[in-house]
Amino acid sequence: MESFNLTGELISRITLYPLVLLAAVFVLIVPDSGFADVDLRADLSYYETTRETDGASTTSSSITQIYTLGVRKPLTRTITFWGDVKWTINETNNKRISSVYPIFSLSFSPPQLYDFRFGYNRTESAPSEGRRISTSHLNTAFSLPEGRWPSLILTFNRSTTEDHETPKQIYTVSTGVMASTSYGFNILDTRSNVNYTLSDFVSEDKVNSTKSTTPSHQVSLSLSRLFLDGKIKSSANVGYELRNTTSESLAGPSRFEETIRQSVGLASLDSVPDPINITLGDEPELIDRNTSTPTPSVIDLNSANWNIGFGFAAPQSIFQINLFIKTTEGPGSEEEAIINGSYDFGWKLYTSSDNSSWTFVGSLTPVYNAFFNRFEFTFAETSARYFKLVNTAGNGTVPIEVTEIEAKGFVLSTPKQSFTSSSTRDFGGFNIFYTPTQRLGMGFTFSYDHSAREAGNNRGLDTTSFRYGTNLRYTFIPKYLSFTTNYSDSETRTQGQDDAGGRAYSFAFSTTPLDTLNGNLTYNHAESLTASTVVSSHNSTAISTYMKIYRGVDLGLGTTFSASENPQQGVSSDSRSYRWSFKLVPWRPLTTLISGSSATTSTDRQGATTSVSSESLDLSFSYSPTRSIHVGGAIDIKPVSSQSYSVTWRVTNKVQLGFRANTSNNAQGMGTSFNWQPFPVVTLNAGYNFTERTGVTTDKVESFFARASFVF
């Protein structure tokens, strides 16, 4: 195990970060009535795994040390300093990798005047074999809140990645500058807001002598007004965007990465699941370039079989998809589980020409970029009109919410020449909603989006998209019967290509005749069109009800009927599914849930009919006879028989023991855990796991782990 020592190597690492150390020393020695908040933390962990396959045994082990020094100090009432230095040492099977993560930021916020922030972080990885690579990020931001004058936001970001070889093999620099201003005002009882954004992004590869510059301008106006004492709510927006990209190659032929703007964002949760035959619904928030806010429909990756994708006005070639997420951070969080590789979502990539019939491309294993909070999927360059990712498995219970999806492609540049492309976009829309009574509401929306692209001196794609929709809700009898309906129609016109579009409508009835009974009936219809001809359609009807039969006795029932048709490919399918759940709480410490489902799908492919059926039946229970003991279990009867049980015993407030066991047709396993906090600043964990699988070969896996954390 490697530990800290003042060797020449350590000193050489420290000299890379004089700004951080000087700032930390300054914070600690400057006299002040309130001393700086200093956090010291050490995390040590050991893992050992022994795998035996048909008598052949292999053992692997790893030791990880993480040391963190954090400082937070208000220098004045308006200036706050925050710094963090983390040293990580990992040794796996005698191969060592050490990394240093210094981060510091400075915020300056005069009361009611303006806000200024400055931040810097650097990551350095030094493996025992291979090149040493360092990555640094510098960011500054200045903001002036809106008042009597327009608001103003100025940001600067610079990222550098380089190795320390001679000559360098990796050296890239990305720089981004953005200025945004907005002003809100009232005129003729109408709330108005004007916004202008200027951005300039530069990406350089100094090893391959390539450079890409992308300046852009966007201006928009939004209006909103109420009529008839607020019964009518109306809003409208209009905007224009200009973007130019200049790529320069000073060496051999090079291909430049370029973010490709999508025409439509798509998402649907496939409950059957059948990723080959499904029409995805519109999800415009997936492509609105807002990576911080989850989509309204809450795409949670911990729920399996989410179909998340996008479409273009015409087929495009891409090689990478970035999926941005938002979830919990820090020790024990969902993000930590993703970074450590504990979660496997079973990602699969599909393409389509009509958003109805999909072709499987392959299974993907993404790289998670913690700095940008995104999964990065890289694959062989593929051309299609529609792309989607499907997570075939969920993992934890805390939501991992999707905020944005991004596509990247290549642009080829010849030696010592520059390649210039430009795109313009004008967009707008309006919506109105009328609520004449508390029981009735109706609305109408319309939007358009026109974009044109030029590459060099050649006219590129010219695309215009229209979308309108109506919605209505009516309560026939309050609490007893309510009705909602929606209709939408979209069309995309691309120069030199057939028009494409889609129509969709739905009806839903819901009722709650009793406090112990509710029911829902929903019908959905969607179809895709090309040149005004229907190329695919999908219909579904769902009925569900929930009943509280008696105190501690709940029953849920549901059924879904769906049909899909693709006349051009001669494919049609029908599916039926039934589901039920029975919850029983005979007394407060014990909760039991029994659930089951069955599904049948028939597919006719050019006269050849195939049918697939599936059934599931499972039972789970939770028993807590005291506050210190919890027993849980899950028994799956269909489609595959399996059982799992767990026991947790909190011996004292500082000691906790755990045991679990599981068995299935060809696998058995068990595990134990021990947690102890002897002092407030010390936490100790240890555990043992064993798994055996039988089949063509017999595999046995034993693992042991021990962790210790010290926080001061």
Side-chain angles (χ1 to χ4, degrees), residues 558-600:
T559 182
T560 301
F561 303 91
S562 63
S564 300
E565 185 176 5
N566 190 322
Q568 291 186 341
Q569 298 183 2
V571 178
S572 63
S573 64
D574 295 281
S575 64
R576 302 180 304 277
S577 65
Y578 307 91
R579 58 193 180 277
W580 60 271
S581 64
F582 183 72
K583 183 179 179 181
L584 182 63
V585 186
W587 67 91
R588 183 175 299 178
L590 177 63
T591 300
T592 304
L593 179 65
I594 306 174
S595 60
S597 66
S598 64
T600 302

Side-chain angles (χ1 to χ4, degrees), residues 305-363:
N305 300 311
W306 267 104
N307 291 242
I308 314 163
F310 50 81
F312 301 103
Q316 294 278 0
S317 294
I318 67 173
F319 72 95
Q320 181 175 320
I321 297 176
N322 296 328
L323 192 67
F324 295 81
I325 64 168
K326 184 176 183 179
T327 187
T328 56
E329 300 177 354
S333 65
E334 297 298 281
E335 184 178 58
E336 184 182 53
I338 295 173
I339 295 174
N340 293 339
S342 302
Y343 283 178
D344 182 5
F345 296 94
W347 291 104
K348 294 185 178 181
L349 176 66
Y350 296 83
T351 60
S352 174
S353 60
D354 56 10
N355 185 25
S356 178
S357 296
W358 297 85
T359 301
F360 176 63
V361 177
S363 299

Side-chain angles (χ1 to χ4, degrees), residues 279-513:
T279 300
L280 306 189
D282 288 355
E283 194 70 44
E285 287 79 4
L286 277 173
I287 59 171
D288 62 359
R289 300 185 184 179
N290 183 350
T291 61
S292 60
T293 304
T295 59
S297 58
V298 186
I299 303 173
D300 180 11
L301 298 183
N302 271 333
S303 297
N305 300 311
W306 267 104
N307 291 242
I308 314 163
F310 50 81
F312 301 103
Q316 294 278 0
S317 294
I318 67 173
F319 72 95
Q320 181 175 320
I321 297 176
N322 296 328
L323 192 67
F324 295 81
I325 64 168
K326 184 176 183 179
T327 187
T328 56
E329 300 177 354
S333 65
E334 297 298 281
E335 184 178 58
E336 184 182 53
I338 295 173
I339 295 174
N340 293 339
S342 302
Y343 283 178
D344 182 5
F345 296 94
W347 291 104
K348 294 185 178 181
L349 176 66
Y350 296 83
T351 60
S352 174
S353 60
D354 56 10
N355 185 25
S356 178
S357 296
W358 297 85
T359 301
F360 176 63
V361 177
S363 299
L364 300 179
T365 300
V367 174
Y368 182 73
N369 189 322
F371 183 78
F372 291 105
N373 297 325
R374 72 188 185 191
F375 290 99
E376 297 177 351
F377 300 84
T378 304
F379 46 89
E381 191 173 10
T382 304
S383 178
R385 185 176 176 188
Y386 295 96
F387 292 80
K388 74 172 181 179
L389 295 166
V390 179
N391 66 322
T392 59
N395 292 278
T397 58
V398 178
I400 301 176
E401 300 174 329
V402 175
T403 63
E404 187 81 2
I405 190 168
E406 181 182 66
K408 285 188 174 291
F410 285 119
V411 174
L412 182 64
S413 176
T414 54
K416 297 184 179 180
Q417 292 187 8
S418 64
F419 175 86
T420 302
S421 65
S422 64
S423 62
T424 60
R425 174 176 175 246
D426 53 281
F427 56 91
F430 71 90
N431 64 77
I432 184 171
F433 194 83
Y434 178 39
T435 310
T437 67
Q438 292 183 350
R439 295 167 58 179
L440 175 64
M442 60 190 76
F444 177 81
T445 63
F446 172 80
S447 64
Y448 81 93
D449 196 317
H450 170 255
S451 61
R453 181 181 177 187
E454 294 183 357
N457 296 321
N458 300 320
R459 183 71 175 177
L461 292 176
D462 192 304
T463 303
T464 304
S465 299
F466 300 93
R467 177 183 173 85
Y468 68 89
T470 61
N471 59 84
L472 180 144
R473 59 173 176 80
Y474 182 68
T475 303
F476 290 99
I477 305 174
K479 186 177 179 181
Y480 289 96
L481 183 61
S482 61
F483 169 76
T484 59
T485 181
N486 296 275
Y487 174 82
S488 64
D489 195 318
S490 62
E491 182 179 1
T492 301
R493 301 173 183 174
T494 303
Q495 185 177 7
Q497 300 181 16
D498 292 334
D499 295 347
R503 288 192 293 262
Y505 56 85
S506 64
F507 304 95
F509 292 91
S510 62
T511 178
T512 309

